[in-house]
Amino acid sequence: GYYEPMLNGSVIKTGKFQYPIYKVPNDLITVDLGSLYPELKKYRLKGKIKGNKLIPYNTREQMKSNKNLEPICYVDDKVDLFFLQIQGSGKVKYQDGTVINVGYANQNGRSYNSIGKHMIKQGYITPDQGSLQGIRKWFKDNPKKIDEVLNVNDSYVFFHESERSATGALGVELVAKRNLAVDRAYIPLGMPVFIQTSNPINKKEINQLMVAADVGGAIKGQIRADFFWGHSDEAEQTAGRMKQKGILYMLIPNNI
């Protein structure tokens, strides 16, 4: 499950608001390999120019030394910022009450690595504590290890300020409890999908028609889907705990 988080922020950097939400850096290069090699049309290469070579772009850990970054704003919690990148879009509320939308703009090209799996492997948490809420609690109890754990995930997401709320890969705003993120190699975007699963909190069955409207870096394979819960506190609580098994029925038009 995923959701649209709300962060507290400021246009200027202060002692409280010191963690930047970055725009796409001007030195990030994206190469569509399909334009050169048709057999590689599914792949894109991202990096930066050094001399006359394209090299991998900065990892998450290296990002703090990057001089080519421009912030949209600053937020007050580095863990909230990390989860904003995982969700792909969100809202930032300024101190005067103004709320802005920030949407996914690009990514550094590095592989996504699950911090939850890393924390379980290290013995920091148990498998049943691997929810967003369990991870947050561990960070609260172990603040000196936050950077060490977050930097396990080399992937880093850049944003743009948007007039719209969470927007999926179809280019339209996502509808809570009606849209799924899928691997488009298996389920085409826009496809109606009937889902059978359950709510992780109240255990009630979910049997309903949804639309494949989004994609995600961690959503890979024909048996994966990410359920969009919306942007409420309830959405965060539910999405953060959801790792349910289920069945997907893809409704394919009959052209006969």
Side-chain angles (χ1 to χ4, degrees):
Y2 68 121
Y3 69 104
E4 186 179 33
M6 173 78 80
L7 286 72
N8 296 310
S10 169
V11 176
I12 60 174
K13 186 176 183 178
T14 68
K16 179 180 180 181
F17 300 100
Q18 54 181 298
Y19 306 107
I21 297 177
Y22 285 125
K23 299 178 182 179
V24 178
N26 56 23
D27 62 340
L28 176 63
I29 304 295
T30 301
V31 179
D32 183 356
L33 293 178
S35 63
L36 299 173
Y37 307 99
E39 66 275 17
L40 300 179
K41 63 181 181 180
K42 294 182 179 180
Y43 300 98
R44 289 182 177 179
L45 189 63
K46 297 182 182 181
K48 60 182 180 180
I49 301 296
K50 185 175 182 179
N52 60 352
K53 293 183 178 180
L54 183 67
I55 64 172
Y57 205 77
N58 300 53
T59 64
R60 176 176 298 276
E61 185 174 11
Q62 295 167 342
M63 209 62 67
K64 57 188 175 184
S65 61
N66 192 332
K67 306 300 183 183
N68 293 282
L69 299 174
E70 180 183 351
I72 296 174
C73 60
Y74 298 85
V75 297
D76 62 353
D77 190 304
K78 68 172 69 176
V79 175
D80 285 349
L81 175 56
F82 179 85
F83 283 115
L84 170 66
Q85 294 190 14
I86 299 299
Q87 304 308 313
S89 63
K91 299 177 184 293
V92 180
K93 185 176 183 179
Y94 294 148
Q95 297 303 286
D96 64 0
T98 301
V99 176
I100 67 167
N101 299 307
V102 289
Y104 176 94
N106 211 327
Q107 186 259 1
N108 64 343
R110 298 281 186 163
S111 297
Y112 172 88
N113 300 304
S114 168
I115 63 168
K117 290 181 179 179
H118 169 78
M119 293 169 76
I120 292 170
K121 185 177 180 181
Q122 294 297 315
Y124 294 160
I125 58 175
T126 59
D128 64 326
Q129 295 171 328
S131 65
L132 182 152
Q133 289 76 19
I135 292 172
R136 280 190 190 279
K137 183 180 184 304
W138 189 88
F139 282 145
K140 185 176 180 179
D141 295 338
N142 299 273
K144 292 183 179 180
K145 288 186 174 288
I146 291 177
D147 287 338
E148 170 204 317
V149 174
L150 296 186
N151 288 336
V152 166
N153 183 17
D154 286 339
S155 175
Y156 197 94
V157 172
F158 306 105
F159 293 87
H160 65 95
E161 189 172 346
S162 174
E163 295 182 356
R164 301 190 291 181
S165 292
T167 302
L170 278 177
V172 296
E173 291 187 45
L174 297 174
V175 178
K177 305 179 185 179
R178 286 297 174 182
N179 285 151
L180 292 173
V182 298
D183 185 341
R184 72 176 91 191
Y186 297 93
I187 300 178
L189 289 176
M191 185 67 69
V193 179
F194 191 86
I195 185 170
Q196 292 184 328
T197 185
S198 62
N199 185 303
I201 295 180
N202 59 28
K203 309 304 179 186
K204 289 184 179 180
E205 291 186 357
I206 297 173
N207 298 289
Q208 64 184 47
L209 186 67
M210 303 187 72
V211 174
D214 204 4
V215 298
I219 309 303
K220 300 298 181 185
Q222 60 183 327
I223 59 170
R224 292 296 307 278
D226 211 359
F227 191 108
F228 181 66
W229 285 97
H231 55 259
S232 64
D233 290 339
E234 176 192 2
E236 178 178 349
Q237 293 300 316
T238 311
R241 290 179 170 86
M242 192 169 191
K243 50 182 178 182
Q244 315 303 96
K245 292 184 178 180
I247 300 175
L248 299 174
Y249 296 93
M250 184 165 59
L251 278 61
I252 303 175
N254 184 349
N255 295 320
I256 296 176

